Amino acid sequence: MNQIKGLAFLLAMVLAISNASNAQAQSPNANPQAFGKGYPLQATHLPASELRDRLLALDPHARARAMKILKDLAFTSLDLAYIKVDLNGDIYFADDFGPEPAEDAYLPMLPPVGAALTEAETFLLHSRPGAPNVIYLDFNGHTISGTAWNSNYGVTTYYARAYDPDGDDVPPYSANADCTSPPPSVTVNFSANELAIIHQIWHRIAEDYAPFDVDVTTEEPAIIDRYTGRILFTDNYDYCGIAMPSVSAGGVAYVGPWGQSNYHTYYSPALVYNSSLIGAAEAGSHEMGHNLS
């Protein structure tokens, strides 16, 4: 687990730089104030923000839990727009990655991945088979219930859509916000283009985690435990037309639950709504970094 802790530190630096850059772009004259790790911190120390307001509205037990998590993070005033607190005092990030990148500008930078794969091959990719830590890249849709997402947003079940940048799955989601039963049978069509994108997303995220003892895979693990992270690549509305958590974000994930006994059952999955190759790959690595702390 020392390697995973090292990975968490490395990704925390990347996350801070990424979020600060987005905020700096929006507020070029900002002079950020540091908070959290290494600095005394109370909710009242924070500048006026949604985070401060929500912290002060929590019951004392939940607020104490939230402050404990925040004191272990290093963040600045530029990050406040992205840091969220739920009703139980757990902290998560709702990240804005800006406009989806134009893929053509990045194509010369993409690492080679070899010949095109069949659908079966695409969903059997592993970067380090047998590693004790697993990051599962889930493109097939997922039913989310009994999790922190459900509790915080008051939605009993999310029927999260499969990854579908081509928009050809059947049926598309409806506008029925009262959908309380499983959606009708869904036909998920992975085109050759989508399979190629998934292959590249896997390749890029696997490269990000290559120095560490973790298997980045597109094959759903037979056993999912507290050392298994799930990154769900989905739409920001589910099959019933219900808004997913932090619907306007590019990706969203809880901070630091990796390895907790209820990580895989309560704080997972990390969610990615970006659909382009570069956007989805960047968001996937980024959101799993939050799970790692």
Side-chain angles (χ1 to χ4, degrees):
M1 288 303 296
N2 287 337
Q3 287 185 317
I4 290 296
K5 290 178 181 176
L7 175 58
F9 175 79
L10 173 63
L11 289 180
M13 300 303 293
V14 174
L15 300 176
I17 292 169
S18 175
N19 279 341
S21 326
N22 286 339
Q24 291 260 21
Q26 297 170 15
S27 182
N29 298 317
N31 183 21
Q33 182 179 357
F35 297 102
K37 201 172 186 69
Y39 296 86
L41 179 64
Q42 299 297 328
T44 52
H45 294 165
L46 296 171
S49 59
E50 178 188 347
L51 177 62
R52 174 185 162 128
D53 292 345
R54 286 185 63 86
L55 286 168
L56 293 175
L58 291 175
D59 68 68
H61 177 76
R63 187 185 312 127
R65 178 178 177 81
M67 296 311 299
K68 183 177 185 299
I69 297 171
L70 288 171
K71 287 175 183 177
D72 285 336
L73 297 178
F75 62 98
T76 77
S77 53
L78 297 180
D79 297 313
L80 295 180
Y82 308 103
I83 303 174
K84 311 294 181 183
V85 58
D86 72 12
L87 299 174
N88 295 318
D90 285 308
I91 299 295
Y92 64 98
F93 273 74
D95 294 301
D96 177 7
F97 295 94
E100 289 270 37
E103 305 293 10
D104 290 348
Y106 288 87
L107 287 178
M109 301 168 56
L110 296 179
V113 295
L117 301 180
T118 65
E119 182 170 337
E121 292 169 332
T122 300
F123 292 106
L124 292 174
L125 296 169
H126 290 263
S127 65
R128 187 171 296 191
N133 306 289
V134 176
I135 296 174
Y136 170 45
L137 310 186
D138 186 352
F139 296 92
N140 296 300
H142 188 58
T143 299
I144 303 171
S145 60
T147 74
W149 300 125
N150 304 99
S151 175
N152 190 47
Y153 284 88
V155 177
T156 302
T157 305
Y158 291 104
Y159 300 104
R161 293 169 53 81
Y163 180 69
D164 184 29
D166 288 354
D168 59 354
D169 289 354
V170 180
Y173 65 79
S174 72
N176 178 12
D178 297 322
C179 177
T180 56
S181 59
S185 178
V186 175
T187 302
V188 177
N189 299 304
F190 288 110
S191 67
N193 175 62
E194 288 173 333
L195 293 174
I197 293 173
I198 290 169
H199 190 187
Q200 277 279 8
I201 290 171
W202 168 82
H203 190 76
R204 293 177 69 83
I205 295 177
E207 285 286 333
D208 288 342
Y209 287 85
F212 307 97
D213 196 10
V214 58
D215 179 25
V216 178
T217 180
T218 57
E219 182 179 16
E220 183 164 6
I223 298 175
I224 295 179
D225 60 19
R226 60 181 177 162
Y227 300 115
T228 308
R230 182 192 296 263
I231 308 173
L232 179 61
F233 297 85
T234 187
D235 194 89
N236 50 4
Y237 287 86
D238 80 348
Y239 279 114
C240 299
I242 296 173
M244 295 286 286
S246 293
V247 63
S248 61
V252 57
Y254 275 89
V255 174
W258 180 282
Q260 295 181 19
S261 60
N262 61 347
Y263 165 47
H264 55 302
T265 57
Y266 189 69
Y267 293 106
S268 184
L271 301 166
V272 170
Y273 306 136
N274 282 8
S275 60
S276 70
L277 191 164
I278 303 297
E282 176 185 323
S285 286
H286 185 107
E287 299 309 329
M288 185 49 55
H290 287 312
N291 277 184
L292 286 159
S293 194

